[in-house]
Amino acid sequence: MPYLDDQTLNLYTRDLATQLTPNATQRTTLIVAGCYPRLLTVGFHEMSHAITGILTCATIHSVELDPDEGGETRMSGGIPWITLPAGYLGSSLIGACLIACGFDTNASKIACLVLGAFFIFTLWWARKNWLTWILILGMSGLVVVFWLVADSVALRFFVLFVGVMSDLYVLWDVIDDTIARKVNSSDASAFARVCGCFPSQVWGVIWLIIAFMYFAAGILVGLVAFKESASEQKTDAAHFLPAPGSSDAMTTAPLPGILVMIVTALSWKLLL
């Protein structure tokens, strides 16, 4: 065993600390990596507010995302006792649906198409919020990339990852914003003022239970509905919206490429 004196050991320790200390660029990368799952969940949260607002005849003025403050959906009209809980419960339901779809490749493809439609509406409402644009365009780019990898098998695991992260962040946010501490600007506080039945902490517990039930339901539905093996899923996926370059893609339009062109055209239209 080699002998290291104190001076040499200190040099090694300092060298290791120097190697592991991130520079400015690396710190930015770590911040983005840490915030992206969080912001994606916030995006689902605000998208749920906006969708339920539209369904209850509200007028959506804007959708904004902020890495520090979360997000905000500005609307007028609608039914508050439906639109207020829709943020937490809606994003939890989206996460549960993605978890269930993550058990099957073709179901993951359909889930991504549905998310794409929701993303287009969100971009329309968030025309002036650059962070929302970065988030959604980044998510769309990842979907296209994973669609093309290994006959879309990677897409299934990506959808599953997004669903799990979404539900876990919802559970954490409900506990942090409504149960562990009272935030006067939270959805639960606003809902308590509208309903007047229970304090915000009680509504937080109720929403937490519902969100956990959604989480469990997503796993159970995936286990029951999708029993195909990996080889069977690969065969089915080769005939359903195949990735360009696969054997069955010659007779099918390259859907990811078409999606990219549609998103690009719509993005350009919205920015003008």
Side-chain angles (χ1 to χ4, degrees), residues 127 267-272:
R127 291 190 296 273
S267 301
W268 180 258
K269 183 69 175 178
L270 291 175
L271 287 173
L272 293 179

Side-chain angles (χ1 to χ4, degrees), residues 1-66:
M1 181 176 180
Y3 172 75
L4 297 177
D5 56 24
D6 292 341
Q7 183 177 2
T8 305
L9 183 60
N10 289 335
L11 289 175
Y12 280 136
T13 303
R14 286 199 298 269
D15 183 64
L16 180 62
T18 301
Q19 292 294 326
L20 294 178
T21 301
N23 57 32
T25 302
Q26 291 172 328
R27 282 194 294 270
T28 302
T29 303
L30 291 174
I31 291 173
V32 172
C35 289
Y36 192 86
R38 159 70 177 173
L39 286 176
L40 187 59
T41 303
V42 173
F44 288 155
H45 182 108
E46 301 307 327
M47 186 171 65
S48 300
H49 279 309
I51 291 173
T52 54
I54 291 295
L55 294 177
T56 56
C57 301
T59 300
I60 309 300
H61 301 291
S62 65
V63 174
E64 297 180 0
L65 301 183
D66 186 280

Side-chain angles (χ1 to χ4, degrees), residues 16-214:
L16 180 62
T18 301
Q19 292 294 326
L20 294 178
T21 301
N23 57 32
T25 302
Q26 291 172 328
R27 282 194 294 270
T28 302
T29 303
L30 291 174
I31 291 173
V32 172
C35 289
Y36 192 86
R38 159 70 177 173
L39 286 176
L40 187 59
T41 303
V42 173
F44 288 155
H45 182 108
E46 301 307 327
M47 186 171 65
S48 300
H49 279 309
I51 291 173
T52 54
I54 291 295
L55 294 177
T56 56
C57 301
T59 300
I60 309 300
H61 301 291
S62 65
V63 174
E64 297 180 0
L65 301 183
D66 186 280
D68 298 319
E69 301 298 330
E72 182 181 25
T73 299
R74 298 180 181 179
M75 69 175 77
S76 57
I79 305 176
W81 59 269
I82 294 179
T83 58
L84 285 171
Y88 290 120
L89 300 184
S91 56
S92 178
L93 179 60
I94 292 174
C97 292
L98 292 178
I99 290 173
C101 292
F103 282 82
D104 183 77
T105 303
N106 286 344
S108 297
K109 292 180 179 180
I110 296 174
C112 289
L113 295 179
V114 175
L115 281 180
F118 288 149
F119 285 162
I120 291 174
F121 285 108
T122 304
L123 286 178
W124 173 260
W125 292 320
R127 291 190 296 273
K128 298 180 179 180
N129 186 255
W130 64 270
L131 188 59
T132 307
W133 277 83
I134 292 177
L135 175 69
I136 291 181
L137 293 180
M139 176 69 174
S140 302
L142 289 175
V143 167
V144 172
V145 169
F146 286 115
W147 196 308
L148 303 178
V149 173
D151 294 325
S152 304
V153 173
L155 183 68
R156 179 169 71 88
F157 293 107
F158 177 68
V159 168
L160 182 64
F161 168 77
V162 172
V164 171
M165 291 299 296
S166 178
D167 270 359
L168 290 179
Y169 269 114
V170 168
L171 295 175
W172 169 257
D173 280 345
V174 171
I175 294 174
D176 187 49
D177 290 344
T178 64
I179 300 176
R181 59 191 179 97
K182 181 180 178 180
V183 180
N184 292 326
S185 59
S186 68
D187 294 339
S189 296
F191 190 74
R193 289 193 293 269
V194 171
C195 293
C197 301
F198 304 109
S200 60
Q201 289 85 350
V202 175
W203 288 115
V205 172
I206 295 174
W207 293 355
L208 179 66
I209 294 173
I210 296 175
F212 184 80
M213 292 173 62
Y214 282 158

